[in-house]
Amino acid sequence: MKASDLISLIPEIETYKRYGKVKRVVGLMIESLGPESSIGDVCWIHLNGKKQTRKIQAEVVGFKDENVILMPYSDIQEIAPGSLVETTSKPLEVKVGPTLKGKVIDSLGNPMDGSSLPKGMKSVPTEQSPPNPLKRPPISEEIEVGVRAIDSLLTVGKGQRIGIFAGSGVGKSTLLGMIARNTKADINVIALIGERGREVREFIERDLGPEGLAKSVVIAATSDQPALMRIKGAFTATAIAEYFRDKGLNVMFMMDSVTRVAMAQREVGLAVGEPPATKGYTPSVFAILPKLLERTGTNEKGTITGFYTVLVDGDDMNEPIADTVRGILDGHFVLDRNLANKGQFPAINVLKSISRLMNHLATDTHKNAAEKVREYLSTYMNSEDLINIGAYKRGASKEIDEAIERYPEIISFLKQKTNEKITMEESIEAIINLAE
């Protein structure tokens, strides 16, 4: 950097620090008198413990009268009345770079194995604006995810955003692990938000495996962490994916789950005094979702293909978060508990699922074959009760007879072992043969 450039930066340097002091703490909300700051600014709260002085990070989330409302990124046990609050006057930033590949980090960008980050990384803000709609290139190219049911019947394009809707224990994490291992994307960015602590390592070692981790960056914010850390985990992961997209890469972005991000935002909203609106969710929840989900997709440099899992309460696909997310994304895959109970994995109900871009991406031969297989499956499912109780007699309907004959082949086609690798060409060829 030239001397003239350094001189020009002098007016921007803060020559003094701004402080406030803690006034009261209610639950996870910290109220302080000062410092002068803006919404989203990161502050340091200085703690005077018995052994040593240390400080914790918090973020400005609101104001009440003349007081600043803060939410912490960590535990708040040692905060006392009068503790100093120092503002950094800037929002949260994380360090990113190509050397992050293969690492597991927390919501603040720190490696979870205790190691230090490599040098030469770039700081980026976690909250950024979505790309300009007019600068988003149309999605015109398929992306291989390595799951036969998806590549053949629910084809996904580079830069498309998909929701995976399911109740608990139906195989969302296992499906994400399969996609991460088998996809042809350049890099995976995986956000595990609100997961049980036990599940993080299990997902990395069992579902993702060494092969998947080698081309992935994992961001983990477990359920025991403060609400703000869970929200920041989603924004940090998105910022990292955006960094790799701007390098011209095709990024596979996965978040498990959007529902837990919404629940964390509800906690923050209620703490700062927002009224509960739809089923207890505050208005800020429905404002934050499009802001987060619209950041992925295409821009003029690269693509982010997004898979977002949505945990639906009681398998209700029309609950508020599921309904909102479904309206924002470019398609939805429904994992059906009844199919999982029958031993079908992945338990994707292809009749209730849709990829909104498949008609623009697939060839006519491929589309016709997929429609034919859907017809067979739909015909069988509509008559399943009659068939099972023996009320249907063969010959009564040519369509039902064909569906009964093809049904075992279709189910066999939709099933796939978690360690089974299938290319997109093989999937398309198989469905064309199946339809014929």
Side-chain angles (χ1 to χ4, degrees):
M1 192 177 273
K2 296 178 183 178
S4 58
D5 294 331
L6 293 171
I7 291 168
S8 67
L9 292 173
I10 289 174
E12 298 176 22
I13 296 172
E14 289 280 353
T15 54
Y16 61 93
K17 293 182 178 179
R18 294 185 175 90
Y19 288 97
K21 61 179 182 179
V22 172
K23 197 172 179 183
R24 68 173 187 156
V25 176
V26 180
L28 290 177
M29 185 186 72
I30 302 162
E31 213 171 294
S32 73
L33 192 60
E36 184 184 331
S37 53
S38 305
I39 293 285
D41 284 356
V42 175
C43 296
W44 289 100
I45 301 175
H46 295 261
L47 310 174
N48 293 316
K50 295 177 182 177
K51 295 181 180 179
Q52 60 181 7
T53 302
R54 65 184 186 92
K55 54 187 182 178
I56 64 168
Q57 278 181 298
E59 184 177 306
V60 178
V61 294
F63 304 99
K64 187 177 181 182
D65 299 327
E66 294 181 3
N67 296 329
V68 178
I69 298 173
L70 303 151
M71 294 284 279
Y73 289 145
S74 56
D75 293 330
I76 58 172
Q77 276 87 349
E78 294 178 45
I79 293 178
S83 292
L84 278 181
V85 181
E86 176 191 346
T87 181
T88 63
S89 298
K90 59 183 182 181
L92 180 67
E93 293 184 343
V94 292
K95 292 190 177 294
V96 297
T99 47
L100 266 185
K101 201 181 283 189
K103 289 198 172 290
V104 182
I105 61 175
D106 65 14
S107 302
L108 306 180
N110 304 314
M112 296 189 76
D113 59 2
S115 63
S116 56
L117 285 171
K119 292 182 179 178
M121 301 182 79
K122 179 185 176 184
S123 290
V124 297
T126 58
E127 298 206 28
Q128 300 181 49
S129 299
N132 185 320
L134 296 182
K135 291 184 179 178
R136 285 186 186 264
I139 297 167
S140 58
E141 194 179 343
E142 301 167 341
I143 188 167
E144 182 178 312
V145 299
V147 179
R148 188 164 47 205
I150 296 173
D151 284 339
S152 60
L153 287 160
L154 301 160
T155 308
V156 175
K158 288 181 180 176
Q160 189 172 348
R161 299 157 307 140
I162 296 288
I164 299 175
F165 294 74
S168 55
V170 187
K172 297 185 301 297
S173 299
T174 310
L175 180 59
L176 289 184
M178 275 182 75
I179 294 170
R181 287 195 309 274
N182 298 342
T183 182
K184 286 290 194 290
D186 299 317
I187 186 170
N188 303 314
V189 178
I190 303 169
L192 303 176
I193 310 299
E195 290 287 326
R196 304 174 188 90
R198 170 185 64 81
E199 287 183 333
V200 173
R201 186 168 177 179
E202 280 187 10
F203 175 82
I204 292 165
E205 293 182 358
R206 186 185 63 199
D207 296 330
L208 195 56
E211 180 189 356
L213 183 60
K215 60 175 183 177
S216 304
V217 181
V218 180
I219 299 89
T222 52
S223 57
D224 59 293
Q225 292 181 328
L228 205 57
M229 279 289 270
R230 283 174 268 146
I231 297 168
K232 288 299 166 188
F235 281 89
T236 295
T238 307
I240 292 169
E242 287 169 329
Y243 167 82
F244 287 111
R245 175 179 65 186
D246 291 343
K247 293 290 181 185
L249 301 181
N250 293 316
V251 182
M252 180 63 74
F253 180 75
M254 288 172 258
M255 185 183 293
D256 186 13
S257 69
V258 177
T259 310
R260 294 192 177 110
V261 177
M263 291 167 91
Q265 180 61 37
R266 177 173 62 183
E267 284 183 46
V268 173
L270 292 172
V272 298
E274 277 191 82
T278 313
K279 288 199 174 179
Y281 287 100
T282 57
S284 63
V285 173
F286 302 101
I288 201 177
L289 287 174
K291 203 180 291 184
L292 177 66
L293 301 176
E294 286 289 352
R295 284 171 61 180
T296 53
T298 60
N299 72 358
E300 60 269 30
K301 296 174 183 174
T303 66
I304 302 174
T305 306
F307 282 91
Y308 297 89
T309 68
V310 181
L311 185 66
V312 290
D313 292 332
D315 296 328
D316 176 15
M317 299 297 164
N318 296 314
E319 56 99 26
I321 300 303
D323 211 34
T324 303
V325 171
R326 190 166 49 235
I328 297 168
L329 298 179
D330 309 317
H332 54 273
F333 299 166
V334 176
L335 300 190
D336 196 319
R337 191 177 299 278
N338 291 329
L339 297 179
N341 292 341
K342 292 176 183 177
Q344 181 179 324
F345 180 84
I348 301 171
N349 188 326
V350 295
L351 298 178
K352 292 182 179 179
S353 305
I354 190 169
S355 168
R356 291 181 181 169
L357 293 174
M358 182 174 174
N359 285 340
H360 303 291
L361 300 170
T363 63
D364 289 340
T365 309
H366 178 190
K367 280 190 288 188
N368 293 337
E371 285 171 14
K372 194 69 177 171
V373 170
R374 278 177 177 269
E375 280 177 27
Y376 286 138
L377 199 54
S378 176
T379 302
Y380 183 89
M381 297 308 293
N382 289 336
S383 310
E384 188 177 25
D385 291 340
L386 292 175
I387 295 164
N388 288 341
I389 64 173
Y392 175 74
K393 301 299 179 187
R394 278 188 179 273
S397 166
K398 185 183 175 184
E399 288 79 14
I400 296 176
D401 288 346
E402 280 186 11
I404 292 170
E405 192 177 328
R406 295 296 181 91
Y407 183 71
E409 294 176 57
I410 294 171
I411 296 302
S412 177
F413 170 81
L414 294 174
K415 285 183 180 179
Q416 185 175 338
K417 293 177 182 175
T418 54
N419 57 356
E420 190 177 357
K421 282 191 176 182
I422 300 168
T423 66
M424 192 163 197
E425 291 77 17
E426 289 171 342
S427 297
I428 294 170
E429 187 183 341
I431 198 169
I432 290 170
N433 293 335
L434 185 62
E436 291 172 353

